[in-house]
Amino acid sequence: MAIILGIESSCDDTSAAVIADGVICSNIVANQTVHQEYGGVVPELASRAHQQNIIPVVHKALKQAGIAKEDLSAVAFTRGPGLLGSLLVGTSFAKGFSTALDIPLIAVNHLQAHVLAHFIKEDADDESRPNFPFLCLLVSGGNSQIIKVDSYSKMEIMGQTIDDAAGEAFDKCAKVMGLPYPGGPVVDKLAKLGNAHKFKFNKPRIAGYDYSFSGLKTSFLYFLRDELKKDADFIEKNKEDLCASLQKTIVDILMDKLRQAAKDSNINEVAVAGGVSANSGLRASFEDHANRYGWKIHIPKFEYTTDNAAMVAITGYYKYLEGEFTDKSVTPYARTSI
Ligand code: KG4
């Protein structure tokens, strides 16, 4: 049996998970609340919080899984992309732990891990995984990509954002409305109470399968500025409709390109991953596409949408099977592609 400990520390969540032969045994996430008052993640504070969290989180993950550290087959960790100081904490811990236990160390690409989260089994009989090749829409605070997934290790980016990510569009527009950080979940909640057709925002015209969200952010800002001149309470009076209309625009932008990519590549198995995949409007649109275009869709459980170590452990598991181990001299990288 292959038992993998996964470690994730790329941004502001410290997480550890245990996966045995592809089946989830535990997935512990310690969120960092220290950033809330700053309206965004403060890298230095994130690194310090990871240092405080990492040992208790790993301890809890092993305990909940009922696994002794001596039973582990390998330690997998997020090497990047992410915040360098944060990544260093997970990387250093993983190196030390694998050295002490004398077991292999496995470096994992965070973006690849988001995609492979779809292969985490809830139990030994779980067969809900996607079939290759499939398309994966990876949408988070830092990425918006359409990925063609040919195998566990062969992935090709068909299109990606040329500026802001979809999560950033949610967060920045929420900030303009005076909503708390991170704005994505708040917009989602308010959108459920609003009319998505009340306001129209322009969609970008970008060639191919690439995305752009900076124009939407600017037009949203100017629209509010003009309306606030006429009525100082405009945001307060229209908060739900603004959120619903904004969410619809972002979801439509994402789905228009994804639909085109699915059509052109003749692939109808389509997955979504990353923090923004928690969005109820995006999930509803996936369901709608399944009904309308016969897509076979894969939507992750909520706990696997935001940053988590289960996705790192499952990626580590497939690398373990291939014998893809990492030298102990490995260093993290802040930027990298899939
Ligand atoms: O993957 P993730 O946890 O990590 C980063 O890339 O940082 O994604 C976080 C992003 C944030 O921008 C957050 O606002 C967005 O995902 N997000 C949402 C929702 N939940 C999280 N956006 C829209 N609707 C949601 N329900």
Side-chain angles (χ1 to χ4, degrees), residues 11 114 140-142 167-168 170-171 182-185 188 274-276 278-279 305-307:
C11 190
H114 267 302
S140 68
E168 265 177 295
F170 271 109
D171 294 343
D188 190 0
V276 181
N279 185 267
T305 57
T306 43
D307 290 347

Side-chain angles (χ1 to χ4, degrees), residues 274-325:
V276 181
S277 65
N279 185 267
S280 58
L282 186 59
R283 285 175 174 238
S285 184
F286 259 74
E287 302 282 357
D288 180 50
H289 278 68
N291 294 331
R292 215 185 277 211
Y293 303 101
W295 283 9
K296 189 167 177 229
I297 55 168
H298 300 274
I299 300 178
K301 282 176 72 178
F302 277 109
E303 60 254 51
Y304 304 142
T305 57
T306 43
D307 290 347
N308 66 88
M311 66 184 196
V312 178
I314 193 73
T315 308
Y317 170 67
Y318 286 107
K319 289 191 162 210
Y320 181 84
L321 295 182
E322 296 296 319
E324 270 184 58
F325 304 142

Side-chain angles (χ1 to χ4, degrees), residues 191-203:
K192 289 184 182 134
L193 308 169
N195 173 5
H197 300 280
K198 177 87 177 275
F199 304 109
K200 290 262 174 294
F201 304 109
N202 288 341
K203 292 191 211 162

Side-chain angles (χ1 to χ4, degrees), residues 238-251:
N238 295 282
K239 209 170 252 179
E240 290 85 1
D241 293 341
L242 282 168
C243 287
S245 304
L246 173 70
Q247 178 166 299
K248 181 181 174 351
T249 309
I250 295 175
V251 170

